[in-house]
């Protein structure tokens, strides 16, 4: 009986998998890509281009599930190929007599282009990455015959142009698949996840953290890059999409603040629960009003009422404290919590407002555009990646030239491709091994086609019939996200291994030589990467964490010197949140003790912002009363310096004493003058970031 149940279960799973493989979108993508490939191959043959295989390969590289992504990838590929070709034409006259010097220049160019590419985390980085290894593809095969280099470069550009033109037209004109709806859905899910998490935080005990809650945070951390990627592609869907992109940029900026807002809500709820602080009746009513608004499907019209309710509760809390009916710690904790709920409402209001403006333009597309901000770039990781690409490429050149291997040019080409393609990953060894498996599969298929099938194809029509089943199957493999990489590897390797040309003559020896050279290049890339470049995700996350702490120290110093502006505050928060998005996913997949103790920079973002709000916004008020913060900032800078060296370092008692001293002084002033309540609140938030378990200090 159990066996029958397992069999039925496996059959069900196979059925679901089958449906995924043969979905309508997968079949449509495979059919259009196959059509574009044969169209590009036919044109290349008719125009008597030198290597029609390049056209066939490019179609599968450029083709994407969405028409806009296909067009953008095609444009980027053309620009990258053109840039790489121009470089080869520029250097070869001066290096034509010295293959070693030529190889050195190409290797350095690969590293330089990779350096430029890694500064951009959008799909546009493909331009420079391709410019690097395209130069290797065009230059290395003819290094011993420099007279042919010009012809090779021009031929490559021509064949790439034919391929991208065919793929763009086919995917654009034949049942095009829009990306705008997916972008709209992604942004909507981003916001809906935030609402769901906020509702859970309010209704579930904060100490009962669930894996689902953590998953939502990680998803939200991944959204910025995903959305920015889609935005890059959506630009090519026309003027209407570009107008929508400009509108949704505001929406996108606001959604990026959801993670720190939600974590701040969670921190205050946890502290209130630990101290068994009960909500006053009017705070409980404001919470119920907020929760009703949060769970309603249409709540844009209630925003003003929610704002008024939360602000009124804040004012009542302040009044109760001034009358001595509520302890100062409870008042400030609850006030801060209500302020974070207000932040959430304001983010929601901005999202809804922009969304309505987008809906007024068109109901089918709601793309957005990310505001240009400073992105985190790990210079050490970047340089290691460039060094790896250079060494792998040049060392394989030395082996190829030194050995006199006629067909060995593919080795440095593959080394350059692999080191460039996987350079942005923390641990590239695993995908490189997948690449190796894909090449082995491609070699086997190429030998099958070369020895058995293609010799029987005596016309273009026969060639189409011979290749169509395999290309259709590869299209289905590429359309499936779980097998996309292996499918692309096989699809891009087969045409080159077969050596498809005008007068194709099967030559098993050439395939064997090309295969060995390819495997040699992959092996070299894997070895050099394993020695120099392969790092754990925790390594990358800890470097981002330390960079964030250094920027916090710099910002705190600027605050102390009163040289920090509101723009600097905004830029600091934006840079810090960008690093948060880098750290959070890596903490989940790499269980590192030091990283776990070091945090995720969300608290540090609030720490910097609250220091600014406390000191810069109220400096005149503090100065008039003789309130000095010099010792506090000195102790804070000392702690941050220790924290940079040792991520798990805890704030020292001297810092707590300075904070408590300032809190007591401000509390006394606030009891006489309500204008001091705001700096008192911000200073308490600072202490909450550093000493979340500390209780309110007693006045001497």
């Amino acid at each position: 009986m159990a066996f029958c149940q397992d069999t039925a279960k496996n059959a069900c799973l196979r059925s679901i998998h089958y449906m995924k493989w043969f979905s309508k979108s997968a079949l449509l993508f495979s059919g259009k890509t196959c059509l574009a490939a044969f169209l590009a191959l036919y044109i290349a043959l008719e125009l008597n281009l030198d290597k029609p295989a390049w056209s066939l390969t490019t179609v599968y590289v450029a083709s994407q599930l969405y028409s806009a992504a296909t067009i953008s990838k095609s444009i980027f590929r053309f620009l990258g190929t053109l840039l790489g070709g121009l470089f080869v034409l520029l250097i070869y006259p001066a290096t034509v007599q010295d293959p070693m010097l030529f190889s050195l220049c190409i290797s350095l160019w690969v590293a330089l282009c990779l350096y430029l590419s890694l500064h951009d985390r959008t799909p546009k980085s493909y331009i420079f990455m391709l410019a690097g290894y395209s130069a290797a593809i065009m230059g290395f095969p003819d290094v011993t015959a420099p007279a042919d280099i010009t012809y090779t470069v021009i031929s490559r550009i021509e064949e790439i142009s034919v391929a991208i033109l065919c793929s763009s037209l086919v995917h654009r004109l034949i049942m095009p698949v829009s990306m705008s709806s997916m972008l709209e859905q992604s942004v909507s899910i981003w916001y809906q996840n935030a609402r769901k998490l906020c509702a859970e935080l309010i209704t579930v005990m904060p100490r009962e953290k669930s894996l689902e809650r953590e998953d939502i945070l990680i998803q939200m951390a991944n959204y910025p890059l995903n959305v920015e990627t889609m935005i890059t592609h959506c630009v090519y869907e026309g003027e209407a999409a570009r107008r929508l992109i400009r509108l949704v940029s505001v929406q996108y900026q606001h959604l990026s603040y959801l993670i720190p807002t939600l974590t701040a809500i969670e921190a205050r709820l946890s502290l209130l629960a630990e101290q068994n602080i009960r909500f006053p009746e009017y705070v409980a009513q404001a919470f119920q009003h907020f929760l009703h608004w949060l769970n309603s499907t249409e709540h844009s019209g209630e925003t003003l009422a929610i704002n008024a309710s939360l602000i009124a509760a804040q004012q009542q809390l302040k009044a109760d404290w001034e009358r001595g009916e509520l302890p100062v710690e409870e008042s400030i904790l609850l006030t801060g919590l209500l302020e974070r709920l207000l932040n959430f409402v304001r983010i929601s209001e901005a999202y809804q407002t922009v969304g309505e403006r987008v809906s007024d333009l068109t109901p089918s597309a709601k793309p957005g555009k990310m505001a240009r901000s400073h992105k985190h770039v790990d210079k050490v990781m970047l340089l290691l990646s460039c060094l790896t690409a250079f060494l792998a490429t040049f060392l394989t050149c030395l082996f190829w030239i030194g050995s006199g291997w006629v067909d060995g040019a593919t080795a440095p080409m593959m080394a350059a491709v692999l080191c460039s393609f996987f350079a942005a990953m923390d641990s590239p060894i695993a995908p490189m091994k997948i690449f190796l498996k894909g090449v082995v599969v491609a070699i086997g298929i190429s030998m099958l086609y070369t020895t058995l099938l293609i010799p029987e194809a005596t016309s273009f029509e026969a060639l189409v019939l011979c290749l169509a089943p395999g290309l259709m199957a590869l299209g289905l493999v590429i359309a499936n996200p779980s097998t996309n990489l292996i499918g692309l590897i096989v699809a891009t390797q087969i045409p080159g291994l077969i050596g498809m040309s005008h007068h194709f003559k099967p030559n098993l020896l050439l395939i064997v030589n090309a295969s060995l050279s390819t495997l040699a290049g992959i092996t070299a890339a894997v070895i050099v990467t394993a020695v120099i470049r392969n790092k754990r995700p925790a390594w990358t996350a800890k470097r981002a964490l330390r960079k964030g702490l250094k920027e916090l120290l710099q910002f705190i110093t600027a605050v102390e010197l009163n040289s920090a502006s509101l723009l600097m505050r905004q830029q600091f928060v934006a840079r810090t949140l960008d690093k948060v998005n880098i750290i959070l996913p890596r903490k989940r997949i790499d269980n590192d003790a030091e990283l776990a103790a070091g945090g995720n920079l969300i608290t540090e973002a609030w720490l910097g912002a609250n220091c600014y709000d406390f000191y810069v916004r109220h400096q005149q008020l503090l100065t008039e009363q003789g309130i000095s913060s010099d010792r506090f900032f000195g102790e804070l800078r000392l702690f941050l310096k220790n924290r940079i060296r040792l991520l798990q370092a805890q704030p020292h008692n001297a810092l707590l004493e300075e904070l408590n001293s300032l809190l007591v002084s401000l509390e006394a002033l606030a009891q006489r003058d309500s204008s001091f309540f705001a700096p008192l609140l911000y200073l308490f938030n600072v202490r909450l970031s550093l000493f979340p378990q500390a209780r309110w200090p007693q006045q001497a």
Side-chain angles (χ1 to χ4, degrees):
M1 185 67 176
F3 174 77
C4 293
Q5 290 176 346
D6 290 342
T7 303
K9 182 179 179 181
N10 292 333
C12 182
L13 292 173
R14 286 195 298 270
S15 175
I16 295 172
H17 187 69
Y18 177 85
M19 291 174 64
K20 185 190 294 187
W21 275 87
F22 293 94
S23 64
K24 180 182 177 181
S25 60
L27 289 170
L28 178 63
F29 169 78
S30 182
K32 291 196 296 183
T33 305
C34 189
L35 174 62
F38 285 128
L39 180 61
L41 180 61
Y42 177 79
I43 295 174
L45 291 172
E46 286 294 309
L47 295 178
N48 200 33
L49 300 181
D50 186 52
K51 294 183 179 179
W54 281 348
S55 294
L56 192 64
T57 298
T58 295
V59 168
Y60 276 89
V61 172
S63 294
Q64 308 291 311
L65 289 173
Y66 301 92
S67 56
T70 301
I71 295 172
S72 65
K73 188 72 174 288
S74 298
I75 293 173
F76 300 157
R77 187 167 181 82
F78 173 77
L79 294 175
T81 303
L82 183 63
L83 186 59
L86 290 175
F87 176 77
V88 173
L89 293 177
L90 179 67
I91 67 162
Y92 98 89
T95 59
V96 67
Q97 301 298 328
D98 193 341
M100 193 69 69
L101 180 60
F102 181 82
S103 300
L104 177 62
C105 291
I106 295 292
S107 301
L108 289 172
W109 172 253
V110 171
L112 174 63
C113 289
L114 187 59
Y115 178 85
L116 298 174
S117 173
L118 292 175
H119 278 83
D120 189 347
R121 300 210 301 261
T122 71
K124 293 180 181 178
S125 64
Y126 184 63
I127 296 175
F128 285 109
M129 182 179 69
L130 185 65
Y133 67 73
S134 284
I137 294 173
M138 289 181 278
F140 287 147
D142 296 320
V143 69
T144 56
D148 298 332
I149 287 182
T150 301
Y151 180 74
T152 301
V153 170
I154 295 174
S155 177
R156 172 93 176 169
I157 294 173
E158 291 175 339
E159 285 145 6
I160 294 293
S161 300
V162 168
I164 63 176
L165 183 63
C166 292
S167 60
S168 298
L169 287 176
V170 169
H171 284 277
R172 183 68 175 177
L173 299 178
I174 302 177
M175 301 178 68
V177 182
S178 174
M179 183 177 278
S180 298
S181 58
M182 186 176 70
L183 179 59
E184 175 190 12
Q185 184 181 16
S186 181
V187 176
S188 177
I189 292 174
W190 189 358
Y191 175 62
Q192 295 301 326
N193 279 341
R195 287 178 58 190
K196 179 181 178 181
L197 183 54
C198 190
E200 182 186 338
L201 291 174
I202 294 175
T203 56
V204 180
M205 287 294 293
R207 283 175 277 187
E208 300 174 1
K209 292 187 178 182
S210 63
L211 289 175
E212 185 182 8
R213 186 185 305 179
E214 187 178 351
D215 288 339
I216 291 176
L217 278 177
I218 292 172
Q219 289 176 24
M220 291 173 66
N222 286 324
Y223 283 139
L225 181 58
N226 295 337
V227 172
E228 190 173 2
T229 298
M230 288 184 283
I231 288 170
T232 304
H233 297 311
C234 277
V235 172
Y236 298 92
E237 287 194 356
E239 182 58 32
R242 287 191 286 271
R243 286 200 308 270
L244 296 172
I245 287 172
R246 289 192 291 268
L247 284 176
V248 180
S249 61
V250 180
Q251 182 185 66
Y252 183 90
Q253 292 177 52
H254 284 276
L255 290 180
S256 64
Y257 290 92
L258 283 171
I259 287 181
T261 300
L262 291 169
T263 52
I265 292 173
E266 181 179 24
R268 281 161 177 78
L269 286 172
S270 297
L271 193 57
L272 288 167
E274 290 174 4
Q275 298 183 13
N276 295 317
I277 296 176
R278 300 187 64 180
F279 291 174
E281 182 64 25
Y282 52 87
V283 174
Q285 291 178 358
F287 258 66
Q288 288 297 323
H289 194 187
F290 175 84
L291 192 60
H292 175 74
W293 167 84
L294 191 65
N295 292 327
S296 62
T297 55
E298 297 290 337
H299 55 216
S300 57
E302 301 180 14
T303 302
L304 292 176
I306 291 296
N307 277 322
S309 176
L310 294 174
I311 292 173
Q314 285 183 315
Q315 293 173 345
Q316 186 65 41
L317 284 168
K318 183 180 178 183
D320 286 352
W321 169 70
E322 290 175 343
R323 290 193 299 267
E325 299 176 3
L326 196 67
V328 61
E329 186 173 15
E330 291 187 20
S331 176
I332 288 181
L333 270 174
L334 291 170
T335 300
L337 177 59
L338 294 174
E339 185 63 31
R340 300 301 171 240
L341 295 181
L342 276 169
N343 290 343
F344 189 92
V345 174
R346 290 162 186 152
I347 293 172
S348 176
E349 182 181 16
Y351 172 85
Q352 295 291 341
T353 302
V354 177
E356 291 168 3
R357 291 172 63 193
V358 171
S359 299
D360 291 340
L361 291 177
T362 175
S364 62
K366 299 180 182 179
K369 183 178 182 178
M370 181 176 179
R372 301 302 176 188
S373 58
H374 298 286
K375 300 295 182 181
H376 171 66
V377 177
D378 192 330
K379 293 297 182 83
V380 173
M381 179 67 85
L382 189 150
L383 292 173
L384 286 177
S385 297
C386 297
L387 178 62
T388 301
F390 168 75
L391 288 178
T393 306
F394 190 61
L395 289 177
T396 48
C397 284
L398 294 178
F399 169 74
W400 161 45
I401 297 174
S403 64
W405 189 5
V406 178
D407 298 316
T410 307
M413 289 164 45
M414 293 306 301
V417 170
L418 241 69
C419 290
S420 299
F421 199 73
F422 299 113
M425 296 184 175
D426 295 323
S427 305
I429 296 297
M432 283 183 173
K433 290 180 179 178
I434 296 175
F435 194 99
L436 179 59
K437 293 177 182 177
V439 169
V440 172
V441 173
I443 291 172
I445 296 174
S446 299
M447 289 184 176
L448 175 65
Y449 269 98
T450 303
T451 56
L452 298 178
L453 301 177
I454 293 183
E456 302 299 324
T458 57
S459 65
F460 182 79
E461 292 78 10
L463 181 63
V464 170
L465 292 174
C466 177
L467 295 176
L471 293 181
M472 282 294 296
L474 281 175
L476 295 174
V477 175
I478 293 171
N480 191 321
S482 61
T483 56
N484 173 266
L485 179 59
I486 193 78
L488 277 174
I489 295 165
V490 175
T492 55
Q493 292 300 309
I494 287 178
L497 290 171
I498 292 176
M500 197 172 294
S501 61
H502 300 274
H503 308 288
F504 179 75
K505 295 180 180 180
N507 190 329
L508 192 60
L509 182 61
L510 288 177
I511 294 180
V512 171
N513 265 292
S515 301
L516 291 175
S517 184
T518 299
L519 294 174
I522 296 173
T523 303
V526 170
I527 293 173
V528 176
T529 300
V531 174
I532 298 176
R533 169 63 178 76
N534 197 44
K535 302 295 183 181
R536 290 175 54 182
W539 187 88
T540 303
K542 284 188 287 188
R543 288 190 56 79
L545 182 56
R546 284 192 166 89
K547 181 67 177 300
L549 291 171
K550 291 177 182 177
E551 291 179 351
L552 172 60
L553 178 60
Q554 293 171 356
F555 182 68
I556 293 295
T557 302
V559 168
E560 183 183 7
L561 298 174
N562 199 32
S563 60
S565 62
L566 183 59
L567 178 61
M568 288 178 61
R569 181 188 185 276
Q570 294 171 343
Q571 292 175 340
F572 162 75
V573 173
R575 289 195 303 269
T576 305
L577 294 183
D578 181 63
K579 295 177 185 65
V580 170
N581 296 334
I582 293 173
I583 295 169
L584 277 178
R586 289 168 172 82
K587 287 188 68 173
R588 180 64 178 272
I589 63 177
D590 193 350
N591 187 18
D592 183 88
E594 187 182 15
L595 179 60
N600 51 32
L601 287 182
I602 297 176
T603 300
E604 286 71 18
W606 282 115
L607 176 59
N610 283 310
C611 282
Y612 175 91
D613 294 337
F614 159 69
Y615 189 73
V616 177
R617 293 183 186 272
H618 304 92
Q619 187 186 26
Q620 184 177 356
L621 189 65
L622 297 173
T623 303
E624 290 175 353
Q625 297 296 325
I627 302 294
S628 176
S629 304
D630 295 345
R631 295 181 63 181
F632 155 63
F633 281 116
E635 296 294 341
L636 180 58
R637 283 188 282 105
L638 179 61
F639 161 64
L640 291 175
K641 291 177 182 178
N642 292 333
R643 181 93 185 281
I644 293 170
R645 290 192 295 269
L646 189 65
L647 291 178
Q648 59 266 40
Q650 296 298 314
H652 49 286
N653 288 331
L655 177 56
L656 178 60
E657 291 173 0
E658 289 300 325
L659 280 166
N660 286 340
S661 176
L662 284 173
L663 284 173
V664 170
S665 300
L666 286 173
E667 181 188 4
L669 290 170
Q671 290 173 341
R672 300 193 302 268
D673 186 352
S674 61
S675 59
F676 283 92
F677 188 82
L680 177 64
L681 173 63
Y682 291 126
L683 186 64
F684 177 80
N685 291 338
V686 170
R687 201 193 68 166
L688 184 62
S689 299
L690 296 167
F691 303 94
Q693 304 302 322
R695 300 302 302 268
W696 192 265
Q698 299 297 319
Q699 295 190 25

